[in-house]
Amino acid sequence: MITSRTTRPPRRSRRPLGLAVLLVGAMLGTLSTAPAARADGPRPAVSECPANLAGKATCYTGQDANGAYYAIAVPQRWNGSLVVHAHGGPDLGEASDPSRSVEDLDRWAVMVDEGYAWAGSSYRRGGYGTRMAAADTENLRRLFVSEFGTPRRTYLHGQSWGGNVAAKILESYAGERGPYDAALLTSGVLGGGSRGYDYRVDLRVVYQYYCQNHPRPSEPQYPLWEGLRADSTMTTAGLRARLQECTGYASDPQERTAAQQRNLDDILAVTGVPERTLESHLRFATFTFRDIVHNRLGGRNPFSNRGVRYSGSHDDAALNAGVQRFSADPTARRDLAYDSDLTGKVSIPVLTLHAIDDPTAFVEHEAAYRASLQGAGRDEHLVQTFTRESEHSELSSAEYAASISALDRWVRTGRKPTPASIAASCAGFDRSYGTGCFYDPRFRPAPYASRVNPRPGGLRWPAMTAGQERSWSRIENVGIAP
């Protein structure tokens, strides 16, 4: 697979491993909502590092006992601390992807450049499963400890859907005496599954109202909350062709027909989805919805648009009269919520970084997360930063470096940073990375409901209270199976 090129660094530990495991095990025993995690499996193999880390680190790859592939990097000048990474997605392959964690290491090599060891899991399978991904990430942290000893400090990093995964780890494994010291959530999908995809539900039904080609009248019909019927052979290329047929989105405006332009204008205006990510959002509302409904929830519907009034089109009355309507199966909505919604019950420092014009995970997810922590009385643990960027996962390396440094300083000194202090620190890192600093310390996102049509009861946060989580945890087979 990948050839060995260097030797394993010495084990580091501040306390005996057996005691560390006992302490963590005792802690987890008090958390009935925490999925089982384990540290067993084959030892990691020394592997070739991504090119931008060549000569800077020793890299390892492997597969844990649950089948999740992973990658680890330990810098030559290790500061003794570890960043545990939770990746976005979810990917939709049936099995764990051995290349995913290596690609993530390449993308976030800035953490290794800053002196941190890095560990990222590809998760044991593709498809939706926030608690599964959280357990696999915790498994990897334990594996790292068993191989290299207990780090001086351990930080979580969650990106995109991985922000949801990392936030779930915070609530499931990271109590005040837990193994994690703090978390960095970047471009996070922090509204949870039961509300975080409502705008894609709206896109799915609004698109079909205007385009009538997904499915076509001549094809087998199915309720749109399925995303796609279970036995469909449609590909991403096929979906792209239908989107182009209806809207001409991939053509220059002057090449679109009048009907295509009006369809495109109406879909974008009603849903608030940016034109440049229209295809990716519709792809999620097609293929990932199918995975959620058919592969994870046994064909049950977790989504609703009953009572939503759509606006912004050239004829709102006709749109609202003709759009497909449906209500969620309460057990399906409960299972999706239990798997991915957040209670806001965190006990350690959390720093977030989000582009104001993020076209994939709208910045209003940050408003939902702050409201969740406020609802749980835990917002004193939260600092949020925002940048004048327009990307989802390609933010400035200098900003990532400034973020992990600010988080580390917060943990070491107990002094909580401010958006302004983090912005001011970025220039020093940019002298090394040259990628720019774009912070806007005064920005505050509007409420989540200002961007996404709220459903009944959807204005209160957290979406799932700690009491609900405890109650649901007593139900046999609740949630989404690993």
Side-chain angles (χ1 to χ4, degrees):
M1 178 168 93
I2 299 177
T3 58
S4 171
R5 68 177 184 85
T6 187
T7 57
R8 189 179 306 275
R11 179 182 298 245
R12 292 178 179 235
S13 182
R14 289 182 298 146
R15 58 179 181 259
L17 177 61
L19 177 58
V21 171
L22 287 174
L23 288 173
V24 174
M27 178 201 69
L28 292 179
T30 67
L31 298 175
S32 61
T33 60
R38 52 199 292 186
D40 55 347
R43 296 185 70 190
V46 178
S47 305
E48 184 177 355
C49 287
N52 60 355
L53 289 177
K56 299 178 183 179
T58 305
C59 295
Y60 307 84
T61 55
Q63 189 174 22
D64 73 13
N66 290 321
Y69 286 99
Y70 61 83
I72 294 171
V74 180
Q76 304 297 343
R77 297 184 178 181
W78 184 22
N79 62 17
S81 293
L82 170 67
V83 172
V84 181
H85 174 79
H87 76 69
D91 302 331
L92 294 181
E94 290 185 10
S96 183
D97 179 1
S99 66
R100 178 60 195 255
S101 54
V102 177
E103 292 168 357
D104 286 342
L105 171 57
D106 183 42
R107 174 65 191 88
W108 280 281
V110 58
M111 302 297 180
V112 182
D113 286 335
E114 289 301 305
Y116 295 88
W118 186 97
S121 172
S122 293
Y123 313 145
R124 72 188 71 178
R125 61 160 172 78
Y128 204 84
T130 307
R131 288 180 184 265
M132 173 205 70
D136 288 342
T137 303
E138 166 62 6
N139 290 344
L140 180 56
R141 184 202 63 78
R142 295 184 181 196
L143 187 150
F144 183 95
V145 169
S146 70
E147 190 68 21
F148 304 107
T150 304
R152 184 174 293 123
R153 283 172 286 275
T154 300
Y155 301 125
L156 270 170
H157 174 224
Q159 163 66 26
S160 188
W161 178 59
N164 191 183
V165 174
K168 183 64 73 175
I169 294 170
L170 285 172
E171 297 180 1
S172 299
Y173 301 103
E176 291 181 8
R177 299 179 182 274
Y180 298 95
D181 294 280
L184 172 64
L185 311 180
T186 60
S187 309
V189 179
L190 300 173
S194 74
R195 298 180 188 174
Y197 305 126
D198 281 344
Y199 70 99
R200 286 169 169 156
V201 173
D202 295 338
L203 172 62
R204 188 68 182 86
V205 299
V206 170
Y207 174 87
Q208 182 64 3
Y209 171 79
Y210 288 111
C211 298
Q212 294 295 309
N213 68 0
H214 186 26
R216 300 183 192 280
S218 60
E219 294 174 330
Q221 302 297 294
Y222 54 88
L224 297 180
W225 49 261
E226 292 186 12
L228 190 64
R229 72 180 197 273
D231 60 350
S232 174
T233 59
M234 178 184 283
T235 63
T236 56
L239 177 63
R240 192 179 303 120
R242 295 186 188 213
L243 178 59
Q244 172 66 11
E245 171 191 290
C246 175
T247 68
Y249 81 106
S251 301
D252 292 334
Q254 62 270 21
E255 296 176 352
R256 297 170 187 151
T257 68
Q260 285 177 328
Q261 188 64 61
R262 191 174 75 171
N263 288 340
L264 181 61
D265 289 344
D266 278 344
I267 291 168
L268 298 179
V270 172
T271 64
V273 170
E275 182 174 345
R276 64 194 174 108
T277 52
L278 174 60
E279 180 197 334
S280 65
H281 286 297
L282 186 60
R283 193 165 61 239
F284 191 105
T286 299
F287 300 107
T288 306
F289 277 15
R290 176 171 67 174
D291 173 74
I292 291 172
V293 169
H294 290 292
N295 297 337
R296 313 302 157 200
L297 296 175
R300 294 172 295 145
N301 172 27
F303 304 121
S304 173
N305 70 336
R306 191 75 63 187
V308 173
R309 185 181 186 281
Y310 298 105
S311 62
S313 73
H314 76 280
D315 188 342
D316 288 347
L319 170 63
N320 282 283
V323 75
Q324 188 177 122
R325 303 280 181 175
F326 40 79
S327 298
D329 177 324
T331 65
R333 189 165 185 83
R334 177 204 66 198
D335 286 352
L336 181 60
Y338 180 78
D339 181 75
S340 59
D341 281 356
L342 302 170
T343 68
K345 194 173 181 180
V346 301
S347 304
I348 59 177
V350 180
L351 173 64
T352 72
L353 172 67
H354 215 120
I356 294 170
D357 194 26
D358 187 326
T360 299
F362 302 150
V363 72
E364 289 80 7
H365 274 275
E366 297 288 343
Y369 193 56
R370 176 168 287 281
S372 294
L373 268 64
Q374 287 174 334
R378 302 297 181 95
D379 55 308
E380 75 274 11
H381 296 294
L382 179 65
V383 173
Q384 295 176 299
T385 61
F386 303 94
T387 73
R388 297 181 300 275
E389 291 170 280
S390 303
E391 299 301 327
H392 177 56
S393 62
E394 297 292 330
L395 304 184
S396 166
S397 292
E399 293 166 355
Y400 288 120
S403 297
I404 194 64
S405 175
L407 193 66
D408 180 64
R409 189 180 308 110
W410 185 2
V411 170
R412 288 187 292 103
T413 68
R415 292 194 294 271
K416 186 177 181 179
T418 66
S421 70
I422 296 172
S425 74
C426 184
F429 294 98
D430 199 44
R431 284 193 286 271
S432 297
Y433 294 101
T435 53
C437 298
F438 308 98
Y439 287 99
D440 184 348
R442 292 175 294 182
F443 178 80
R444 297 292 182 273
Y448 188 73
S450 70
R451 185 67 179 262
V452 181
N453 291 310
R455 276 54 176 169
L459 297 177
R460 289 196 302 270
W461 298 89
M464 175 179 66
T465 67
Q468 279 180 313
E469 183 180 47
R470 284 192 299 271
S471 176
W472 286 343
S473 72
R474 302 185 183 102
I475 299 172
E476 187 175 1
N477 298 322
V478 71
I480 290 175

